[in-house]
Amino acid sequence: MNTAKRRTVIAGNWKMNFTPSEAKAFIEEIKPMVAGKDNCDIVFCAPFVSIAAAMEAAKGSNIKIGAENVHFEDHGAFTGEVSAKMLKEIGVEYVLVGHSERRQYFGETDETVNLRTKAALAAGMKVILCLGEVKEQRLSGITDEVVGMQTKLDLAGISVEDLKNVIIAYEPVWAIGTGLTATPEQAEETCAVIRRVVASLYGDDAAEAMTIQYGGSMNDKNAAELLAKTNVDGGLIGGASLVAEKFTAIVDAAQ
Ligand code: PGA
C-alpha cells in the first residue's frame, strides 16, 4: 500500500452466498468489529436480492454495499440482468465487473466487461474491475502480456476523469477459491505491471492514484504480507469475506 498516494480498499465478494436475512445478520455482526477502522474503505458486494437488506443493516456505519455485476443497457429485453440505473436508484455505490467466474461460466468477454464498466461509470458508480491470468498463462510466462491486454481492452474508451472511479482487482484465476495465493512478490510484480500499463494509457499521475487490489485466497493469515507491498492497495476477498473474524483481521492488516 502507498497510503500517501491512494486509498486502500478492502472489499468482500460474497458471490452466491447470503440470503437477505443472512446478509443482515452478517453486517450486524461485523459492524461493531470494524467500527472506526477508517484507514481503508470497507465494501461488501452482495447478490442483487440481498443488497437492500445489507444496506439497511449497514446504515450509519463505515461499511458500503456493492453489487456483483451490472448490465450495460439501461433497460430492455435482457432477461435476468440488472441495469446500472436500477442499482443507482437503490443507492449502490460500488459494482464488481469482469469477475473471472463471470468470464468463465457466463461467457463474459473483455468487450462486455468494457461495456458494463462504462455503463456503471456513466451512472456515477465506482467499478471494481477484475482481471487476471489463468494457470496455463502464468506457467507459459505470458502473465504480463495477458493482464496488459485485459487492462487495455477493459478500459478502452474510458476517460481519465472516469478512471478515478475505477479500481482494478488483480485476481490470478488459479488463486481464486483454491487456497493457492500468489506470493506477495508475484502480487506486487503483476500489480506493478498493471500500473505501468495504466500509466502508458493515462499518464503517471492517474496511474499512481489508482487503487489496485489483489484477490485470490487472501485471508487473515496472508493479508498483512500482501498489503505491505507498494503496489497492492487492498484486497478483493471471497471465502474470507463470509467470516466476520477473518474479514476483520484483513481490515486490521490494512490499518
Ligand atoms: P477467494 O475469492 O478469496 O475465495 O479466493 C476471491 C474472489 O473471487 O474475488
Side-chain angles (χ1 to χ4, degrees):
M1 303 185 296
N2 183 337
T3 49
K5 288 192 171 161
R6 45 200 178 248
R7 189 78 184 146
T8 304
V9 180
I10 303 294
N13 171 15
W14 285 345
K15 310 193 179 187
M16 199 171 72
N17 293 290
F18 288 169
T19 65
S21 60
E22 289 166 348
K24 176 175 183 276
F26 179 86
I27 296 295
E28 278 166 0
E29 180 189 0
I30 200 166
K31 207 158 61 167
M33 297 167 74
V34 297
K37 298 180 179 173
D38 291 330
N39 280 353
C40 62
D41 288 347
I42 301 172
V43 183
F44 289 101
C45 296
F48 291 130
V49 294
S50 299
I51 291 174
M55 269 185 176
E56 183 60 30
K59 256 190 195 150
S61 76
N62 54 342
I63 297 173
K64 299 194 169 89
I65 305 299
E68 297 179 13
N69 198 12
V70 60
H71 195 259
F72 40 86
E73 295 292 347
D74 229 27
H75 64 272
F78 302 100
T79 304
E81 292 284 326
V82 171
S83 73
K85 191 177 162 191
M86 293 168 183
L87 294 175
K88 188 69 186 169
E89 187 170 317
I90 62 163
V92 170
E93 204 179 312
Y94 286 83
V95 61
L96 294 181
V97 175
H99 191 277
S100 68
E101 286 149 21
R102 299 293 319 168
R103 295 179 191 250
Q104 192 178 345
Y105 306 135
F106 302 99
E108 298 221 11
T109 62
D110 287 311
E111 191 187 351
T112 59
V113 169
N114 174 252
L115 290 172
R116 288 175 199 264
T117 301
K118 284 180 180 159
L121 293 171
M125 288 188 282
K126 294 186 173 75
V127 173
I128 301 179
L129 173 57
C130 310
L131 51 85
E133 81 287 1
V134 299
K135 189 171 159 201
E136 295 71 28
Q137 293 166 332
R138 178 155 288 266
L139 293 177
S140 314
I142 57 168
T143 297
D144 295 3
E145 288 84 345
V146 171
V147 299
M149 194 177 69
Q150 289 175 326
T151 303
K152 287 182 184 169
L153 292 171
D154 296 350
L155 293 176
I158 290 165
S159 69
V160 68
E161 201 46 43
D162 277 346
L163 191 76
K164 292 180 183 148
N165 288 319
V166 179
I167 292 168
I168 289 183
Y170 164 56
E171 297 209 304
V173 180
W174 48 270
I176 295 178
T178 56
L180 287 176
T181 316
T183 64
E185 292 68 33
Q186 287 171 325
E188 168 65 13
E189 260 174 40
T190 310
C191 288
V193 167
I194 294 168
R195 198 178 305 284
R196 279 200 294 279
V197 174
V198 172
S200 75
L201 299 169
Y202 294 97
D204 289 343
D205 290 352
E208 284 299 318
M210 175 180 257
T211 295
I212 302 182
Q213 300 171 314
Y214 167 78
S217 301
M218 187 186 266
N219 59 37
D220 46 325
K221 306 279 186 305
N222 59 28
E225 261 190 316
L226 287 159
L227 294 172
K229 294 295 179 187
T230 321
N231 282 292
V232 179
D233 309 312
L236 182 59
I237 298 116
S241 76
L242 302 171
V243 183
E245 291 75 22
K246 290 188 183 176
F247 190 85
T248 303
I250 299 171
V251 170
D252 287 339
Q255 292 309 295

